[in-house]
Amino acid sequence: MDNKKELIIIFGKGYISKKLINILELEKNSTFKNIEYYVSNNRIENRESIIKEFEELKPTYVINCAGKQGTPNVDWCENNQQEVIRSNIIGTLNLIDICFLKNIHITNLTSGCLYYYNDEHPKFSNKGFKEYEQSNYFGSFYSRNRYLGEQLIYPYDSNTLSFRIRLPICDEIYNPRNIVFKLIGYEKVINEPNSWTVLNDLCPIILDMTLKKYKGFYNLVNPGVITHNEVLDLYIKYVDPNFKYQNFSVQEQRKFLNCDRSNSQLDSSKLESIYQIPNVKVSIEQLFKSFKKSV
């Protein structure tokens, strides 16, 4: 490592970590000219190996993209609960605790699947759940797991930045982790308004806030909501005019699932007080336009 440069160690080799690495590579001679990165091969629960790695590499920043979300979806977590706990609770806390002891800033990516619409936050009201509001959704083991993880992270707020992510989407439409790819694979979909995380807009913010050593919890979502139908209609308009889909209700959907799903709007005003972020409908339409031009 160049001693004049600061080092980011990234944990996790999935969908979002690859987007972050791509940005670091594309801008390595400009925005990130004084930054190097290293992708760890350690599992986040392996304490001794991580400590040794940190002592050898001496990172300035750590970004945790590791964790279990379930493949192909969160239903997997219902039948693999010990593995989910090992990664999302034990592993995450282990990594954060090591960073705390070594005074290293850590950015932790977690989930915004913590809420469900209620009387105080009705659909289409633009009254999203703020970061400090108590979770009201416990319909899946994955969400209960993430809620517990948040409660245990709070004591480490002196060095930890946590981003809550919802329905991540990018211009790689056919990436298996992209929500659009999942939606077009279903015979029927529900039509619920939700917050979405447009990675093209928000991954640069992850890196910027990491380097500026922000702390606390942030809802990492675009302003506003968009429904499943609206997203699929954009797919039909810009990508595949022959695509067809059908709707069914949340109650009908539940018959085919191992657990419930979170549907909610997260408030993005805390993040918007720092950055200008496009509305989710505008941004997702732009993704489809860009994809159309590229094929």
Side-chain angles (χ1 to χ4, degrees):
M1 175 186 167
D2 186 338
N3 291 329
K4 296 179 181 179
K5 293 187 176 183
E6 295 181 318
L7 175 67
I8 301 173
I9 294 184
I10 299 172
F11 287 83
K13 299 179 180 180
Y15 184 35
I16 296 178
S17 64
K18 289 177 181 176
K19 296 294 290 185
L20 296 176
I21 290 166
N22 186 51
I23 295 170
L24 289 167
E25 283 291 331
L26 288 173
E27 300 182 29
K28 64 182 179 182
N29 296 319
S30 54
T31 306
F32 304 109
K33 63 183 179 181
N34 296 317
I35 298 294
E36 290 187 341
Y37 72 89
Y38 172 79
V39 181
S40 177
N41 290 314
N42 276 311
R43 298 185 67 84
I44 55 176
E45 58 266 33
N46 292 346
R47 189 173 185 88
E48 291 77 13
S49 297
I50 292 172
I51 290 173
K52 182 180 179 181
E53 185 170 69
F54 283 8
E55 289 174 348
E56 291 176 354
L57 298 178
K58 298 183 176 9
T60 307
Y61 316 94
V62 170
I63 300 178
N64 179 31
C65 302
K68 298 294 183 184
Q69 295 85 36
T71 301
N73 55 52
V74 294
D75 280 352
W76 178 91
C77 298
E78 299 296 314
N79 299 320
N80 297 273
Q81 297 184 3
Q82 295 83 1
E83 192 171 344
V84 176
I85 292 170
R86 194 175 303 119
S87 177
N88 295 358
I89 300 291
I90 297 172
T92 297
L93 286 173
N94 176 57
L95 186 58
I96 289 174
D97 184 61
I98 294 171
C99 289
F100 174 79
L101 293 173
K102 293 189 171 295
N103 196 30
I104 300 169
H105 181 276
I106 178 169
T107 296
N108 182 55
L109 305 189
T110 184
S111 175
C113 296
L114 303 170
Y115 301 103
Y116 207 88
Y117 289 113
N118 60 16
D119 291 341
E120 290 75 31
H121 306 82
K123 297 178 187 178
F124 301 110
S125 67
N126 204 33
K127 295 179 180 179
F129 289 91
K130 296 181 183 292
E131 287 82 354
Y132 61 80
E133 293 191 78
Q134 176 71 32
S135 174
N136 70 346
Y137 170 74
F138 304 99
S140 70
F141 182 78
Y142 175 76
S143 291
R144 296 193 297 275
N145 184 270
R146 288 303 193 183
Y147 166 75
L148 177 58
E150 278 203 4
Q151 304 311 301
L152 297 172
I153 289 170
Y154 281 120
Y156 293 95
D157 60 358
S158 63
N159 71 306
T160 304
L161 168 65
S162 289
F163 286 118
R164 292 169 164 180
I165 294 170
R166 282 282 287 138
L167 299 176
I169 181 175
C170 72
D171 53 2
E172 299 171 22
I173 302 300
Y174 295 119
N175 186 314
R177 300 300 297 179
N178 195 322
I179 297 299
V180 175
F181 182 82
K182 294 182 180 183
L183 288 177
I184 62 176
Y186 297 139
E187 292 184 10
K188 295 181 179 180
V189 297
I190 59 171
N191 187 33
E192 293 291 313
N194 274 288
S195 289
W196 289 57
T197 297
V198 182
L199 297 178
N200 298 59
D201 300 326
L202 300 175
C203 277
I205 289 176
I206 294 174
L207 292 170
D208 190 61
M209 291 182 71
T210 294
L211 298 185
K212 292 175 179 175
K213 295 188 176 181
Y214 276 84
K215 302 162 188 174
F217 281 83
Y218 287 82
N219 292 330
L220 191 74
V221 296
N222 290 66
V225 295
I226 189 168
T227 66
H228 299 71
N229 282 14
E230 288 173 317
V231 172
L232 290 175
D233 288 343
L234 289 171
Y235 176 78
I236 292 169
K237 179 178 180 180
Y238 292 105
V239 181
D240 184 359
N242 297 316
F243 179 76
K244 307 288 185 184
Y245 67 89
Q246 299 179 57
N247 286 130
F248 62 165
S249 68
V250 172
Q251 293 74 23
E252 290 172 318
Q253 180 198 46
R254 183 64 181 87
K255 298 175 183 177
F256 301 94
L257 303 174
N258 290 340
C259 60
D260 288 330
R261 298 291 191 266
S262 168
N263 292 295
S264 64
Q265 178 177 0
L266 302 186
D267 183 276
S268 58
S269 59
K270 185 178 179 182
L271 196 65
E272 287 183 89
S273 70
I274 309 170
Y275 300 95
Q276 289 187 333
I277 307 168
N279 179 273
V280 66
K281 292 184 180 181
V282 173
S283 189
I284 290 180
E285 182 163 18
Q286 185 58 48
L287 288 185
F288 283 111
K289 287 180 179 179
S290 298
F291 180 81
K292 182 179 181 180
K293 290 180 181 178
S294 69
V295 294

